[in-house]
Amino acid sequence: MSAASTQRAPDVSSSEGVAADELKQFIERIERLNEEADAIKGDIKEVFAELKGRGFDVKAVRSILRIRKQDHSERQEQEAILELYMQALGMAV
């Protein structure tokens, strides 16, 4: 056996109890954040349902949200490529 295969991970449960406590805190923190994220996702879903109920096109709104996240120059480049491809296919507006 090589030296690498005989090495084990440190025992964090006994001699390094502080590390085990720290690990537990990280895990609990991640769990809380996941719960908060789930709640926020639910809130967003409700907003989209309300948006749809008011007659707005959800697909269009999602596109707008995606576009607003993009850098302005990145968006311009993407629009130029799209326009070029549409012209090549005879789909120009």
Side-chain angles (χ1 to χ4, degrees):
M1 282 189 180
S2 69
S5 64
T6 59
Q7 292 179 348
R8 296 185 342 194
D11 182 9
V12 294
S13 62
S14 58
S15 63
E16 297 180 40
V18 173
D21 289 342
E22 185 177 22
L23 176 60
K24 183 179 178 184
Q25 289 174 356
F26 278 120
I27 297 295
E28 290 171 349
R29 196 163 128 204
I30 291 168
E31 289 171 341
R32 279 192 308 276
L33 290 170
N34 280 330
E35 289 172 4
E36 290 175 22
D38 289 343
I40 290 171
K41 287 176 190 175
D43 292 345
I44 292 170
K45 188 175 180 179
E46 287 177 16
V47 171
F48 275 107
E50 183 179 347
L51 183 86
K52 186 175 182 179
R54 297 278 182 106
F56 290 98
D57 186 307
V58 172
K59 191 173 182 181
V61 171
R62 288 188 189 278
S63 293
I64 290 169
L65 290 168
R66 187 173 47 257
I67 289 167
R68 286 173 56 110
K69 286 182 182 179
Q70 292 177 335
D71 177 63
H72 181 70
S73 60
E74 177 186 334
R75 184 173 70 234
Q76 285 182 318
E77 180 182 347
Q78 190 176 31
E79 288 172 355
I81 292 170
L82 179 63
E83 185 177 333
L84 177 68
Y85 288 0
M86 289 178 72
Q87 286 175 357
L89 296 171
M91 299 172 60
V93 181

